Amino acid sequence: MFEPIFEEQNDYFCSLIIKGEFGNKVVNNLASLIGNVGFNILKLEEVTDLSDNVITFVIADNLTEAEWVKIRSATSSTIFVIGCASPVQEPQADSCFICETSPELCIQTLISMMKMIGGYGHVMTDFTDIRRVLIECGQQNHVIYIESTHPEEAIERVLKQLSNKPIALDQVKGILLNMVIGEDFEFSFSNIDTIITRVAAEVSETTLVIFGTTFDVNKQGQELGLNMIVSY
C-alpha cells in the first residue's frame, strides 16, 4: 500500500537528483515502497536550472568537486546529499552530507526525511527542525535505522549501533530521531520520554536532540521503525 508525500505541493517544490547505478537502485526501490514521491527526479547529467526548488535531495555514492559545483550552481535551495561525504573540505552553505553507502539506509533516510517534512504524526517536526540538526549543528552526518516492536528495545539497539560509529559521542552536535509507526500503534508520550532520556544520557548536554513521529500505512500494531541521524 502506498501513501502520498508532498501531494499538495508543486512538482518543483523538491527535486531528487540521482547519480549512476547507486542512485538508480535507491530510487527504484524507493518507488516500490512508497509509489509516486510527487516531485522531480533527475539524473545528474540532466541538472540545469533548479531555481524554483525549496529543497533538493541528491542520492550518490560519490561526487566529484565539479559535480558538486554543478549542483550547487543550479539551485539556491537547501541541499541534502545522501550516500557520500563532501568532495570539498570547506563548509558548504545550506547543505549537508549524510555519509552512508548502504542503499537500504539511504532509502530509509530519504523516506524518513520526506515524511518529517511533508507528513504527519503524533509529534510533528518540520523543515526548520531538520535544517537545525543537519545543517546548523554540523555538515557531516551518519544514520542508524532499526525496526522493532518495543520502543525500549529499539532505542537500546540504536544506541549500541551509535557506539560503533566512528564518532566520539561527546562531539555529537545534533540528533534527529524519527519514530515511524502505524496509525493503530498504542502511542504513549512515556515512549518519547524513555527514548529522549536514554539518548541524552549518552551525549553532551549541549547536543540538540529533536524527536518526531511519522505514520507508515505499512506498519501494523506495535511495529515501529526508529531512524536516527547524527550530526557532528
Side-chain angles (χ1 to χ4, degrees), residues 18-29 58-62 82-84 98 100-107:
I18 60 175
K19 178 185 176 182
E21 183 179 344
F22 182 83
N24 283 324
K25 182 176 182 179
V26 169
V27 81
N28 288 338
N29 289 339
V58 180
I59 301 292
D61 57 355
N62 67 83
I82 304 174
C84 66
I98 298 176
E100 297 295 344
T101 57
S102 161
E104 291 74 20
L105 269 182
C106 291
I107 291 165

Side-chain angles (χ1 to χ4, degrees), residues 87-98:
V88 295
Q89 293 185 345
E90 300 81 8
Q92 298 298 297
D94 213 11
S95 58
C96 82
F97 293 80
I98 298 176

Side-chain angles (χ1 to χ4, degrees), residues 162 167-175 203-204 206-207 230-232:
L162 177 60
I167 311 168
L169 296 186
D170 61 355
Q171 294 178 5
V172 172
K173 297 179 181 178
I175 291 178
V203 295
S204 167
T206 61
T207 300
V230 182
S231 184
Y232 62 99

Side-chain angles (χ1 to χ4, degrees), residues 11-111:
D11 286 345
Y12 297 92
F13 167 76
C14 178
S15 289
L16 173 60
I17 300 170
I18 60 175
K19 178 185 176 182
E21 183 179 344
F22 182 83
N24 283 324
K25 182 176 182 179
V26 169
V27 81
N28 288 338
N29 289 339
L30 177 70
S32 71
L33 289 172
I34 65 174
N36 181 15
V37 296
F39 52 72
N40 262 2
I41 298 177
L42 300 169
K43 293 182 179 180
L44 179 56
E45 55 269 26
E46 299 171 339
V47 171
T48 54
D49 179 15
L50 300 176
S51 56
D52 290 331
N53 277 17
V54 176
I55 304 170
T56 301
F57 289 103
V58 180
I59 301 292
D61 57 355
N62 67 83
L63 285 175
T64 66
E65 183 173 350
E67 289 169 337
W68 170 244
V69 170
K70 176 180 181 178
I71 294 168
R72 183 72 277 180
S73 300
T75 178
S76 59
S77 71
T78 298
I79 302 176
F80 298 108
V81 181
I82 304 174
C84 66
S86 173
V88 295
Q89 293 185 345
E90 300 81 8
Q92 298 298 297
D94 213 11
S95 58
C96 82
F97 293 80
I98 298 176
C99 314
E100 297 295 344
T101 57
S102 161
E104 291 74 20
L105 269 182
C106 291
I107 291 165
Q108 293 298 339
T109 301
L110 183 57
I111 292 174

Side-chain angles (χ1 to χ4, degrees), residues 129-203:
D129 294 321
I130 292 175
R131 195 180 182 285
R132 285 179 65 198
V133 174
L134 301 189
I135 294 177
E136 295 176 14
C137 286
Q139 292 193 328
Q140 300 291 341
N141 305 273
H142 284 284
V143 177
I144 299 167
Y145 178 82
I146 63 96
E147 294 187 343
S148 178
T149 55
H150 300 285
E152 293 82 2
E153 180 207 34
I155 193 58
E156 292 301 330
R157 287 171 57 194
V158 164
L159 289 173
K160 183 176 180 180
Q161 289 192 34
L162 177 60
S163 68
N164 294 327
K165 292 286 185 181
I167 311 168
L169 296 186
D170 61 355
Q171 294 178 5
V172 172
K173 297 179 181 178
I175 291 178
L176 186 66
L177 272 168
N178 179 33
M179 188 165 75
V180 184
I181 57 177
E183 293 191 4
D184 58 347
F185 185 89
E186 294 181 7
F187 181 82
S188 168
F189 281 98
S190 65
N191 298 149
I192 298 175
D193 290 338
T194 298
I195 291 173
I196 292 178
T197 299
R198 285 292 293 113
V199 171
E202 299 294 330
V203 295

